[in-house]
Amino acid sequence: MSEIAATTVHEAYAFACMKCGYGWEQSYEIEHHVDVHGHAFVVYTADGQRVPSPLSTPTCANCGGHVVRIMRAGRVAGVQELLRKQQAPQTSESKAKDRTVSTAAAPDHHWRLSDLLHPFHRR
């Protein structure tokens, strides 16, 4: 396939499986192309590999389910950080450190849907 022009943008999405509750985030490089006939097409790559559009049929990496909620990037990491803060005992020193903590989460923990939605529950 021959192409005339290509532009690349970077986007990230957060996903939550509605079947098992697993949550994850993924960054994509999205290449916008126009073929020789003037038809636009898009190529998604993640971690250097070509992948299908995450917006068409996302699949849970944990259970293989296809009922997946797509959210803006940072939603899963933000909830993971909030839960980590709630589980750690609070001291005056740790409270001061909380203001400068990164949003990166521990990679060994699998998050459930209830964990992801907990901050949104009304009290």
Side-chain angles (χ1 to χ4, degrees), residues 67-119:
V67 182
V68 176
R69 179 165 181 170
I70 304 168
M71 302 168 281
R72 71 176 186 259
R75 300 294 282 208
V76 173
V79 172
Q80 290 172 342
E81 180 64 21
L82 178 65
L83 290 171
R84 187 182 65 73
K85 287 180 185 179
Q86 289 177 347
Q87 292 171 353
Q90 293 289 317
T91 65
S92 60
E93 185 178 312
S94 67
K95 287 179 184 176
K97 287 182 182 178
D98 281 347
R99 294 184 200 115
T100 60
V101 167
S102 87
T103 59
D108 295 306
H109 192 286
H110 295 285
W111 300 98
R112 302 290 171 220
L113 181 60
S114 60
D115 295 335
L116 296 170
L117 298 177
H118 179 73

Side-chain angles (χ1 to χ4, degrees), residues 3-117:
E3 59 200 49
I4 296 173
T7 59
T8 302
V9 295
H10 301 277
E11 290 189 21
Y13 300 98
F15 303 89
C17 179
M18 303 307 279
K19 181 178 177 184
C20 73
Y22 182 72
W24 71 99
E25 294 190 9
Q26 180 67 54
S27 297
Y28 297 90
E29 289 186 3
I30 305 167
E31 300 172 1
H32 295 266
H33 300 270
V34 177
D35 66 15
V36 293
H37 303 290
H39 299 109
F41 66 97
V42 179
V43 175
Y44 287 83
T45 58
D47 300 324
Q49 300 218 349
R50 188 174 179 164
V51 296
S53 168
L55 305 177
S56 59
T57 54
T59 302
C60 177
N62 188 48
C63 72
H66 294 291
V67 182
V68 176
R69 179 165 181 170
I70 304 168
M71 302 168 281
R72 71 176 186 259
R75 300 294 282 208
V76 173
V79 172
Q80 290 172 342
E81 180 64 21
L82 178 65
L83 290 171
R84 187 182 65 73
K85 287 180 185 179
Q86 289 177 347
Q87 292 171 353
Q90 293 289 317
T91 65
S92 60
E93 185 178 312
S94 67
K95 287 179 184 176
K97 287 182 182 178
D98 281 347
R99 294 184 200 115
T100 60
V101 167
S102 87
T103 59
D108 295 306
H109 192 286
H110 295 285
W111 300 98
R112 302 290 171 220
L113 181 60
S114 60
D115 295 335
L116 296 170
L117 298 177

